[in-house]
Amino acid sequence: MKSDPKIQVPDGLDLNAIPTHVAFIMDGNGRWAKKRLMNRVKGHEQGAQTVKEVVTACRELGIDVLTLYAFSTENWARPKEEVKALMYLLKRFLRNETEELREKDIRLNIMGQIERLPDDVRKEAEQAMAATEKNSAMILNLAISYGAREEITRAVQQIAAKIRSGALDDKDITDKTISDHLYTAGMPDPDLIIRTSAEFRLSNFLMWQAAYSELAFTPTLWPDFTRQEFYQILIDYQQRDRRFGKV
Ligand code: FPP
């Protein structure tokens, strides 16, 4: 997608070499709140503001796919009150931002175990996806109750079922067969995965799709992450030499 001609971008950022798919591991909300002697939920609330800013920035830059790790399969084990607050924030985001997503021509895709979500959140998610399904300028993947191991396990189960029914021959299984059964089926792999808050792990995020992704880490806590810092990470990304295993 072409970038918005009206945007003000810093020197050094090449708008003709913007990555196609950018993914974020949004980390550090809890520490952001703790530093301010606040409840962790306040950090998530502030983090939701950063989400809005990053979605807007990506759309303006002409990024085709933005994937945000909002809630992992492991996050269900957090204290009940925190899980409840995160579910509430997700529901509020889905309800309040759908109109904006429509206006910006952004298609929302929830990736993860949507069936595990509380009924009200699942309904809101389904409505938001339906309301934006015809949009085509950008895909916003919200990874909710997402884990790469669950995603790959689910793909293997689906492929096995196709073999059992005779719809697929095991000799025809290729890389693409696996990719086509992931939540990101039909989408390009992430070019760039950014993790905030000085943690250097993938944490069960896009493990298949990240095979050749460039990784960027910043000590900034997610609620403090700004568009300016994002631009700088993109400038650094544009200096990298991506060889995909070749010379
Ligand atoms: C990690 O910080 C963040 C999460 C587990 C949740 C991410 C959620 C949001 C950014 C807000 C809601 C999302 C949307 C899409 C509206 P952490 O709690 O693990 O931080 P810590 O490592 O400092 O404790």
Side-chain angles (χ1 to χ4, degrees):
M1 250 297 149
K2 278 201 83 59
S3 54
D4 183 337
K6 295 188 292 294
I7 67 163
Q8 295 252 317
V9 284
D11 283 351
L13 184 63
D14 179 358
L15 284 181
N16 296 312
I18 293 294
T20 304
H21 182 173
V22 177
F24 281 91
I25 302 177
M26 311 184 285
D27 199 5
N29 295 348
R31 276 163 284 168
W32 183 92
K34 196 171 169 202
K35 265 177 42 183
R36 290 165 177 76
L37 306 177
M38 289 171 167
N39 187 290
R40 294 175 56 80
V41 172
K42 287 281 169 216
H44 296 314
E45 278 175 15
Q46 198 58 40
Q49 295 302 316
T50 309
V51 166
K52 288 202 249 173
E53 182 76 6
V54 165
V55 170
T56 305
C58 287
R59 176 66 184 87
E60 287 175 0
L61 289 167
I63 285 168
D64 289 341
V65 185
L66 167 64
T67 301
L68 299 176
Y69 203 5
F71 192 89
S72 73
T73 45
E74 290 73 28
N75 286 155
W76 290 112
R78 290 197 175 195
K80 228 168 80 191
E81 286 310 307
E82 186 173 343
V83 170
K84 209 168 136 188
L86 277 167
M87 288 298 141
Y88 172 75
L89 279 178
L90 288 167
K91 180 176 157 183
R92 198 177 67 179
F93 177 85
L94 293 165
R95 180 181 297 160
N96 294 351
E97 300 307 315
T98 302
E99 198 43 48
E100 181 101 11
L101 296 177
R102 277 170 62 152
E103 277 164 24
K104 293 192 164 126
D105 198 20
I106 298 171
R107 173 154 75 88
L108 177 81
N109 178 49
I110 305 289
M111 44 186 275
Q113 302 165 303
I114 195 165
E115 68 287 351
R116 263 184 98 176
L117 301 177
D119 278 352
D120 55 336
V121 183
R122 185 175 45 74
K123 280 193 193 120
E124 210 68 62
E126 281 164 354
Q127 277 170 17
M129 282 194 285
T132 60
E133 71 182 347
K134 298 220 161 57
N135 295 354
S136 59
M138 183 173 103
I139 297 173
L140 168 61
N141 284 320
L142 269 192
I144 307 180
S145 192
Y146 171 86
R149 288 185 174 176
E150 188 276 334
E151 177 182 43
I152 295 168
T153 305
R154 180 176 162 274
V156 171
Q157 286 169 346
Q158 289 176 359
I159 293 167
K162 285 187 185 169
I163 294 171
R164 202 177 334 110
S165 73
L168 181 68
D169 191 323
D170 58 354
K171 287 182 209 63
D172 295 331
I173 297 176
T174 62
D175 273 24
K176 188 173 179 304
T177 317
I178 315 283
S179 296
D180 286 348
H181 289 83
L182 301 177
Y183 293 119
T184 48
M187 299 178 203
D189 287 338
D191 301 290
L192 175 63
I193 299 178
I194 302 168
R195 182 169 191 154
T196 55
S197 89
E199 304 287 355
F200 306 98
R201 302 183 282 278
L202 270 186
S203 297
N204 204 13
F205 186 50
L206 303 178
M207 275 160 24
W208 174 273
Q209 299 89 331
Y212 282 100
S213 303
E214 294 294 325
L215 306 178
F217 300 96
T218 164
T220 305
L221 304 175
W222 177 254
D224 288 331
F225 189 76
T226 60
R227 174 191 282 262
Q228 282 64 36
E229 184 168 6
F230 182 32
Y231 292 155
Q232 192 52 54
I233 290 172
L234 291 173
I235 292 169
D236 295 345
Y237 163 85
Q238 290 179 340
Q239 309 308 315
R240 297 190 192 187
D241 179 18
R242 299 187 76 197
R243 291 193 300 275
F244 299 94
K246 300 177 191 120
V247 286

